Amino acid sequence: MSSIKHTVVIVGYGGMGSYHTQLIKESDRVIVSGAFDLLEDRRTLAAEAGYTAYSSYEEVLADPDVEIILIATPNDVHKDIAVRAFQAGKHVVCEKPVAMSSAEFTEMQAAADAAGRVLMVHQNRRWDEDFRVIKEMYEKETIGSLFQIESRVHGANGIPGDWRHVKAQGGGMLLDWGVHLLDQLLFMIDSKVTSVSSSLSFILGNDVDDGFEAILQFENGIKAIVEVGTTNFITLPRWYVKGLEGTAIIEDWSLRGRMVTRNNASEKIEPTPIRAGVGLTKTMAPPSEGSTITEDLPAASELSSSFYDNLAAVIEGTAEPIVKNAEVLRVLVLIEAIFEAAEKNETIKNFDIYEA
Amino acid sequence: MSSIKHTVVIVGYGGMGSYHTQLIKESDRVIVSGAFDLLEDRRTLAAEAGYTAYSSYEEVLADPDVEIILIATPNDVHKDIAVRAFQAGKHVVCEKPVAMSSAEFTEMQAAADAAGRVLMVHQNRRWDEDFRVIKEMYEKETIGSLFQIESRVHGANGIPGDWRHVKAQGGGMLLDWGVHLLDQLLFMIDSKVTSVSSSLSFILGNDVDDGFEAILQFENGIKAIVEVGTTNFITLPRWYVKGLEGTAIIEDWSLRGRMVTRNNASEKIEPTPIRAGVGLTKTMAPPSEGSTITEDLPAASELSSSFYDNLAAVIEGTAEPIVKNAEVLRVLVLIEAIFEAAEKNETIKNFDIYEA
């Protein structure tokens, strides 16, 4: 492994941009050297944190010591900033969603290719431990082959009061959180999405969706439900997954959860009917004692490298990117299908650009 | 109120048929006088319980003391039993689903009308306390106007090992539990269903669905999710509903639950961002302290009468039925749309026979 540190300048030094300084400190292959923001107070903050505070983007591009541009601006300007970076010979790390559309992203990719530079999208939630626990269960069939995967993120704070509630800047929850949850699913499930249906919610009166639900059917038989809400004063579990032998749940970011499976060693004992409401039910009675096993969730599946260590290796030509641009494009195409499905209130098919 | 007791003979003395003897004891207007079942051991059970055990259905129909036939057989024979009952001048109470199709039910209704007899379907879960709590919240806007209603019933016992897993007998979870959950929603929400999408599950290898999910969009803006599963080793909440001012949950049949609403009296304090997985989020951070209020659920909405007291009054001509046949027909038409949506994997529109 090379010992060169790659220098990053952060463009857009808001909440997410400054958070990257912490993430990059966890890697010994990459270092933040400077920052640029249109707002003066943020440039001051960057200077106070010990970074070179550039006074214009042109100044960043002109600095030969800058190797990588990290884009953490509103979504509508990602493309222009990236294309100019490539033209100046820089590599680019871009926050998600990388672009306003799949067409925009294709332009960005073309500019990177023409310049022979690296473009990597910060789909960092592939590293989330809760997701990697589900990925482990998916790969190892811990509760049998998974056939239903429900991924939910619920908040009650509405959409943050910034550009994220403005459509022209790429706001809305499908682009903000949806892009993560969908990226996780497509990263995990190696199968074509054969159909999607969806609905967006507009409870808060913004011109962007404040939440959505999308239902994906995969060719391999898996059904996935992806839901994001910002008006949920009570949260449903972060993950709820069903396998042929049992069910698993992850309640929240603390990773509290469990899995319950059929006890194949136990005698088959019919459950005792219960009174449920005013009716009697055997079907919905609790399984008889001893017929199921409750266990802790497995340890998380590990990725081969951290995001920034992987970035360094990709720049050095010694590794494939973990976040591949073909995958990022596929997620954007899926998001476009979800928007279309919601708008038409129809099930959309034959859109996925998956290649086996 | 009349003091006459109306006599019922139960046809189909299985688990559900015999359970009706308990329900009927709760009414002082109706009394079980006898039972008939094709199986001799069940006839013996009925006799041991003190009821007249008829040896044939013809014998039931020929008995002038029998006023009401209660049909609790497999679904595929409801229609023929009911039509013969009407022709013999009896009233009919029929278990749900009342028929194999909306066309069959229309035939049953016509036979009842021709004979001037009462047909009432035992949609008893309109009386379930959990449902009536939600109904109260819907009507009183306890957490503001409800815009999303999620109704789930989860079990892990598969489909009971009887006719309920046979398609030709009207088995499957959409007909068994779906008919209840959909009936509850249409009873509560006075609005047209503008579209439905759905998927059925066939995990257990039966020729009927072992679970389903249906998403209903109502003209008044409400979205409802109805889900039944028999392979769910961990259960999601029985009810999860969102209103403009908060969210409510009922965990299970025990009515354990709560509602959480926005505290409009508190100062608006921005939530503190949290680290969630490897990322930072303000949107999905818990609401700041004091900004929400957690309360117990309200008391349940009351119906005007019990099912069997209402039946007696309907027979006597002194009340409208609480379970109206036009409503029952509408639910069957909805179920047919759900089957069609699942089969075609398409969103179905313009099917609802709702009349304002």
Side-chain angles (χ1 to χ4, degrees):
Chain A
M1 189 186 285
S2 160
S3 62
I4 306 163
K5 285 211 186 191
H6 301 275
T7 56
V8 174
V9 165
I10 298 172
V11 174
Y13 196 72
M16 197 50 70
S18 57
Y19 181 63
H20 272 273
T21 63
Q22 296 175 47
L23 295 177
I24 290 173
K25 277 177 189 150
E26 292 168 13
S27 166
D28 54 8
R29 309 299 322 290
V30 179
I31 191 167
V32 175
S33 64
F36 168 67
D37 198 288
L38 289 174
L39 300 177
E40 186 177 348
D41 59 340
R42 289 183 178 174
R43 293 198 296 271
T44 305
L45 280 177
E48 284 170 3
Y51 304 118
T52 303
Y54 294 89
S55 58
S56 71
Y57 186 44
E58 289 69 25
E59 199 183 338
V60 179
L61 294 177
D63 185 343
D65 291 341
V66 177
E67 196 179 350
I68 305 163
I69 305 285
L70 169 66
I71 305 176
T73 64
N75 302 330
D76 56 326
V77 291
H78 286 178
K79 188 196 79 175
D80 286 346
I81 294 171
V83 168
R84 290 176 66 191
F86 295 130
Q87 288 165 349
K90 314 295 189 194
H91 303 292
V92 168
V93 172
C94 189
E95 260 304 333
K96 42 51 62 180
V98 62
M100 301 287 282
S101 66
S102 58
E104 265 200 9
F105 181 58
T106 302
E107 274 188 68
M108 289 166 79
Q109 265 192 290
D113 291 348
R117 301 285 91 178
V118 169
L119 166 59
M120 256 175 79
V121 182
H122 192 239
Q123 291 294 165
N124 57 322
R125 292 198 176 280
R126 294 187 182 190
W127 281 264
D128 278 4
E129 191 172 351
D130 57 280
F131 163 64
R132 291 186 289 109
V133 168
I134 300 299
K135 188 165 183 284
E136 175 75 8
M137 299 182 75
Y138 179 79
E139 287 164 356
K140 302 291 166 58
E141 303 194 345
T142 317
I143 58 170
S145 180
L146 296 187
F147 61 86
Q148 180 145 337
I149 298 172
E150 305 183 15
S151 172
R152 292 184 178 85
V153 176
H154 284 170
N157 302 316
I159 302 176
D162 59 12
W163 58 266
R164 286 181 175 80
H165 65 259
V166 179
K167 189 169 184 173
Q169 296 197 277
M173 282 300 122
L174 177 51
L175 282 172
D176 189 11
W177 269 93
V179 71
H180 280 308
L181 305 189
L182 295 164
D183 179 72
Q184 289 177 337
L185 287 181
L186 298 197
F187 181 53
M188 176 168 72
I189 302 170
D190 185 15
S191 180
K192 185 169 185 164
V193 181
T194 51
S195 72
V196 68
S197 61
S198 74
S199 67
L200 308 181
S201 70
F202 295 89
I203 304 305
L204 301 170
N206 292 284
D207 68 347
V208 296
D209 68 289
D210 48 46
F212 72 92
E213 182 188 49
I215 300 180
L216 282 59
Q217 188 63 54
F218 287 86
E219 197 163 60
N220 66 4
I222 292 179
K223 173 181 170 179
I225 300 175
V226 180
E227 196 209 337
V228 173
T230 57
T231 57
N232 300 61
F233 290 78
I234 298 171
T235 58
L236 287 176
R238 171 71 187 86
W239 292 95
Y240 179 83
V241 298
K242 292 171 70 178
L244 289 179
E245 295 297 321
T247 306
I249 201 167
I250 300 180
E251 298 284 355
D252 51 34
W253 305 111
S254 75
L255 300 185
R256 199 161 47 95
R258 66 191 188 283
M259 56 188 198
V260 180
T261 50
R262 185 180 287 115
N263 182 2
N264 290 316
S266 85
E267 259 182 285
K268 171 85 180 158
I269 303 165
E270 286 290 308
T272 309
I274 57 163
R275 184 150 177 163
V278 299
L280 195 72
T281 180
K282 189 165 82 174
T283 314
M284 299 305 167
S288 55
E289 212 183 310
S291 69
T292 62
I293 302 168
T294 300
E295 288 170 289
D296 288 340
L297 296 165
S301 168
E302 293 292 340
L303 302 191
S304 58
S305 166
S306 76
F307 180 87
Y308 279 110
D309 285 354
N310 180 239
L311 172 70
V314 171
I315 288 173
E316 292 163 18
T318 59
E320 286 292 303
I322 294 174
V323 180
K324 295 179 175 59
N325 287 331
E327 296 165 347
V328 172
L329 180 65
R330 187 178 168 218
V331 171
L332 288 175
V333 169
L334 171 58
I335 285 176
E336 288 165 350
I338 292 173
F339 275 121
E340 184 187 351
E343 198 180 330
K344 296 182 174 168
N345 190 17
E346 281 177 8
T347 302
I348 304 295
K349 301 169 189 175
N350 300 316
F351 62 86
D352 189 7
I353 59 171
Y354 170 81
E355 282 176 34
Chain B
M1 186 183 286
S2 162
S3 63
I4 305 163
K5 285 210 183 190
H6 300 276
T7 54
V8 173
V9 166
I10 298 172
V11 175
Y13 196 73
M16 196 49 70
S18 56
Y19 181 62
H20 273 272
T21 63
Q22 296 175 47
L23 296 176
I24 291 174
K25 277 178 190 151
E26 292 169 13
S27 167
D28 54 8
R29 310 296 324 288
V30 179
I31 189 166
V32 175
S33 64
F36 168 66
D37 199 289
L38 288 175
L39 300 178
E40 186 178 348
D41 58 341
R42 290 183 177 172
R43 293 198 296 270
T44 305
L45 280 176
E48 285 169 2
Y51 304 118
T52 302
Y54 294 88
S55 58
S56 71
Y57 187 44
E58 288 70 23
E59 199 183 340
V60 179
L61 296 177
D63 185 343
D65 292 340
V66 176
E67 195 179 352
I68 305 163
I69 304 286
L70 168 66
I71 305 176
T73 63
N75 303 329
D76 56 328
V77 291
H78 285 179
K79 189 196 79 175
D80 286 346
I81 294 171
V83 169
R84 290 177 67 191
F86 296 130
Q87 288 166 348
K90 315 296 187 190
H91 303 292
V92 168
V93 171
C94 189
E95 262 303 333
K96 38 56 57 179
V98 62
M100 301 286 283
S101 66
S102 58
E104 265 200 6
F105 180 59
T106 302
E107 273 188 68
M108 290 166 77
Q109 266 192 287
D113 291 348
R117 302 286 91 179
V118 170
L119 166 60
M120 257 176 78
V121 182
H122 192 240
Q123 291 294 165
N124 57 322
R125 292 198 176 280
R126 294 187 182 190
W127 281 264
D128 278 4
E129 191 172 351
D130 57 280
F131 163 65
R132 290 185 292 109
V133 168
I134 301 299
K135 189 165 181 284
E136 175 75 8
M137 299 183 75
Y138 180 79
E139 286 163 359
K140 303 291 168 59
E141 303 194 346
T142 318
I143 58 171
S145 180
L146 296 188
F147 60 87
Q148 180 145 337
I149 298 173
E150 305 183 14
S151 171
R152 292 184 177 85
V153 175
H154 284 170
N157 302 317
I159 303 176
D162 58 13
W163 59 266
R164 285 180 176 79
H165 66 259
V166 179
K167 188 169 185 173
Q169 297 196 276
M173 283 298 123
L174 177 51
L175 283 173
D176 188 13
W177 269 93
V179 71
H180 280 308
L181 305 188
L182 296 163
D183 178 72
Q184 289 178 337
L185 288 181
L186 298 198
F187 180 54
M188 177 169 73
I189 303 169
D190 185 16
S191 180
K192 186 170 184 160
V193 181
T194 52
S195 71
V196 68
S197 62
S198 73
S199 67
L200 309 182
S201 70
F202 294 88
I203 304 305
L204 299 170
N206 293 284
D207 67 348
V208 296
D209 69 290
D210 47 47
F212 72 91
E213 182 188 48
I215 300 181
L216 281 59
Q217 189 63 53
F218 288 85
E219 198 163 59
N220 67 2
I222 292 180
K223 173 181 169 179
I225 301 175
V226 179
E227 197 208 335
V228 173
T230 57
T231 57
N232 299 62
F233 289 79
I234 298 171
T235 59
L236 287 175
R238 172 70 187 86
W239 292 94
Y240 179 84
V241 298
K242 293 171 69 178
L244 290 178
E245 294 298 322
T247 306
I249 200 167
I250 301 181
E251 297 283 357
D252 50 36
W253 306 112
S254 76
L255 300 184
R256 199 160 47 95
R258 66 191 188 282
M259 55 187 199
V260 180
T261 51
R262 186 181 287 113
N263 182 2
N264 289 315
S266 85
E267 261 183 284
K268 171 87 183 156
I269 302 164
E270 286 290 309
T272 309
I274 57 164
R275 183 149 179 163
V278 299
L280 196 70
T281 181
K282 191 165 80 173
T283 314
M284 299 304 167
S288 55
E289 212 181 311
S291 68
T292 61
I293 302 169
T294 300
E295 288 169 290
D296 288 340
L297 296 165
S301 169
E302 293 292 339
L303 302 191
S304 57
S305 165
S306 76
F307 180 86
Y308 279 108
D309 286 354
N310 180 239
L311 172 70
V314 171
I315 287 173
E316 292 162 18
T318 59
E320 286 292 301
I322 294 175
V323 179
K324 295 179 173 60
N325 287 332
E327 297 166 347
V328 171
L329 180 65
R330 186 178 169 218
V331 171
L332 287 176
V333 170
L334 171 57
I335 286 176
E336 287 166 349
I338 292 172
F339 275 121
E340 184 187 350
E343 197 180 331
K344 295 182 174 168
N345 190 17
E346 280 177 10
T347 303
I348 305 295
K349 300 169 190 175
N350 300 317
F351 62 86
D352 189 7
I353 58 170
Y354 171 81
E355 282 175 35

